[in-house]
Amino acid sequence: MSRFAKTKRVFFVEEPLFTNDSIPRVDTRMCEESAVTVCVPQLPHDLGPDTMTTIQKLLLNNLISDYGISDYILWYYTPMALDFSRHLTPAITVFDCMDELSAFAGAPREMKEREAEMLKRADIVFTGGQSLYEAKKDRHCDVHCFPSSVDAQHFAKARTVRQDPEDQRHIAHPRLGYCGVIDERMDLTLIEGVAKARPGWQIVMLGPVVKINPYTLPRLPNIHYLGGRKYNELPQYLGGWDVAILPFAHNDSTRFISPTKTPEYLAGGRPVVSTSITDVVRPYGEMKLVRIADTVEDFVKAAEAAMDQDAKSRNWRTTADAMLSQMSWDLTWQKMAWLIADKTAEKKLAARNVGLGAGSRPAVLGD
């Protein structure tokens, strides 16, 4: 979105927050780093679902009016947003399907129904990985796969880190580190098993605990939960790890994931060990850029090999860097922008042809 904001106004509407105020409103702020306008609905507590939808619809209408928005694209990350926006008439509709949201814990019962509606309404669909693409490609006529990109320059800072952040400084080596949301996708049994198998190893879990009870997390002296950190702080933590890990469970919520952390870990120059998530195995495992292991015994062996071999291999780093050079967010944005421009032109031409009547052709096309 920050790249689109260089040429267009971008309004990013977030999930609502609930307050003690009786009057609903939308708080807006310009993100200084990206020029994206972040819009956060502020709603009173204890609203029924129908009332909440009606208020969000009115707030969105006011936002469009207040900012003089007339010719626009609707870009959806969740089909549930249709509840308060299906009345709008965008130039085109984009569905950016980054996860199989219906498989996540706590997903609304209506999620599958809304997604079916979204796929009918969308002019173009993007998927966040190969597995999702394969699941959606037969459900829409214009689906494009965009696996996770990476800001390689940002994460490459990890390669030159000389000093740990204060809360990681006291943790001994070797360190196995994970960065991301800690939720139902984590294989907690695997994490605990590795910690017990190698009590001298330290496991660093960096990220917020979401949708699971924190008391269910394995608690051992060599497992360290440091909480969430800002994006610009991540390379400093990553640079202090001996191995970066992706300890995902095999369940409905991980069936279609394409972890953004895979290329970010590699950009940071860290050896990587992951469970056999499909979009990690293809292509990273097949290219021997990531070691794949699912059992405690195999995970330990893979981490030992990663520390001993991958960390010292110039060929491994060269291959990883060559792959990452083709995965920038700039390239992803440019490809998406081209597809959107083509789809917009296609719709305008179709509308003109309809206006001219069957069988007639325009003499001149132009804006």
Side-chain angles (χ1 to χ4, degrees):
M1 290 299 105
S2 65
R3 285 157 177 80
F4 278 105
K6 292 178 181 178
T7 59
K8 306 177 186 299
R9 290 189 297 169
V10 175
F11 298 84
F12 195 103
V13 181
E14 294 193 343
E15 298 280 348
L17 295 179
F18 297 93
T19 72
N20 293 323
D21 295 341
S22 59
I23 300 176
R25 68 182 190 277
V26 175
D27 285 352
T28 61
R29 63 179 176 84
M30 176 72 76
C31 183
E32 294 181 3
E33 299 86 359
S34 65
V36 172
T37 300
V38 180
C39 312
V40 186
Q42 309 284 321
L43 304 181
H45 287 288
D46 302 322
L47 294 176
D50 291 342
T51 302
M52 187 167 71
T53 296
T54 299
I55 291 175
Q56 284 184 275
K57 180 178 177 180
L58 291 171
L59 291 174
L60 182 57
N61 288 344
N62 290 340
L63 178 75
I64 290 172
S65 175
D66 291 345
Y67 281 89
I69 302 169
S70 57
D71 184 18
Y72 54 90
I73 295 169
L74 285 183
W75 186 300
Y76 289 87
Y77 287 109
T78 170
M80 295 305 296
L82 281 171
D83 286 349
F84 57 85
S85 63
R86 62 166 58 89
H87 65 288
L88 299 175
T89 55
I92 69 166
T93 297
V94 177
F95 179 29
D96 195 349
C97 183
M98 298 183 67
D99 288 295
E100 189 65 67
L101 296 176
S102 62
F104 279 37
R109 289 176 298 175
E110 307 89 351
M111 181 66 79
K112 289 187 177 181
E113 179 184 333
R114 293 294 182 279
E115 184 180 273
E117 180 184 353
M118 184 79 258
L119 289 168
K120 289 181 180 179
R121 287 177 170 268
D123 296 292
I124 192 166
V125 177
F126 302 143
T127 66
Q130 185 65 27
S131 296
L132 270 176
Y133 172 76
E134 292 168 1
K136 308 300 179 186
K137 64 184 177 68
D138 295 329
R139 299 183 61 193
H140 193 277
C141 63
D142 201 357
V143 183
H144 303 268
C145 180
F146 284 99
S148 298
S149 300
V150 61
D151 185 347
Q153 186 175 2
H154 174 68
F155 283 94
K157 297 173 185 175
R159 303 186 186 195
T160 57
V161 165
R162 294 290 178 266
Q163 186 173 17
D164 275 308
E166 186 175 349
D167 57 349
Q168 186 170 271
R169 203 170 299 163
H170 70 284
I171 300 174
H173 287 269
R175 297 175 187 156
L176 279 61
Y178 167 80
C179 174
V181 175
I182 301 169
D183 57 14
E184 76 272 17
R185 294 173 295 178
M186 292 289 98
D187 189 336
L188 301 180
T189 301
L190 175 65
I191 294 169
E192 182 176 27
V194 172
K196 288 180 176 178
R198 290 293 185 272
W201 291 4
Q202 308 301 314
I203 299 177
V204 178
M205 301 293 290
L206 191 68
V209 179
V210 177
K211 295 189 293 181
I212 59 173
N213 189 331
Y215 291 104
T216 65
L217 298 176
R219 302 286 177 176
L220 292 168
N222 59 333
I223 303 179
H224 310 269
Y225 300 98
L226 301 188
R229 291 296 181 271
K230 294 180 180 179
Y231 180 76
N232 61 3
E233 297 176 294
L234 300 183
Q236 192 173 5
Y237 285 88
L238 179 59
W241 301 344
D242 299 286
V243 177
I245 59 173
L246 293 166
F248 288 111
H250 288 280
N251 55 37
D252 288 343
S253 65
T254 61
R255 183 180 174 191
F256 298 105
I257 63 171
S258 178
T260 58
K261 293 305 162 195
T262 317
E264 291 172 353
Y265 287 165
L266 293 173
R270 300 301 92 185
V272 185
V273 179
S274 173
T275 51
S276 57
I277 297 302
T278 301
D279 282 9
V280 179
V281 174
R282 301 180 306 180
Y284 301 100
E286 294 174 345
M287 295 180 66
K288 302 188 184 305
L289 294 176
V290 172
R291 293 180 181 270
I292 306 298
D294 288 312
T295 67
V296 169
E297 181 181 1
D298 288 345
F299 210 91
V300 168
K301 288 180 180 178
E304 288 174 337
M307 285 185 272
D308 184 52
Q309 299 172 27
D310 298 347
K312 303 171 185 176
S313 171
R314 289 187 179 181
N315 289 338
W316 175 81
R317 289 177 184 267
T318 300
T319 303
D321 288 345
M323 182 180 185
L324 295 171
S325 69
Q326 303 301 312
M327 297 175 59
S328 74
W329 286 113
D330 287 330
L331 288 173
T332 294
W333 164 77
Q334 187 63 74
K335 292 175 183 177
M336 287 180 167
W338 287 336
L339 289 167
I340 289 169
D342 287 347
K343 182 61 66 174
T344 304
E346 178 185 316
K347 284 195 71 173
K348 286 182 178 180
L349 178 59
R352 287 168 181 162
N353 285 339
V354 169
L356 289 167
S360 61
R361 294 176 179 271
V364 178
L365 294 178
D367 292 322

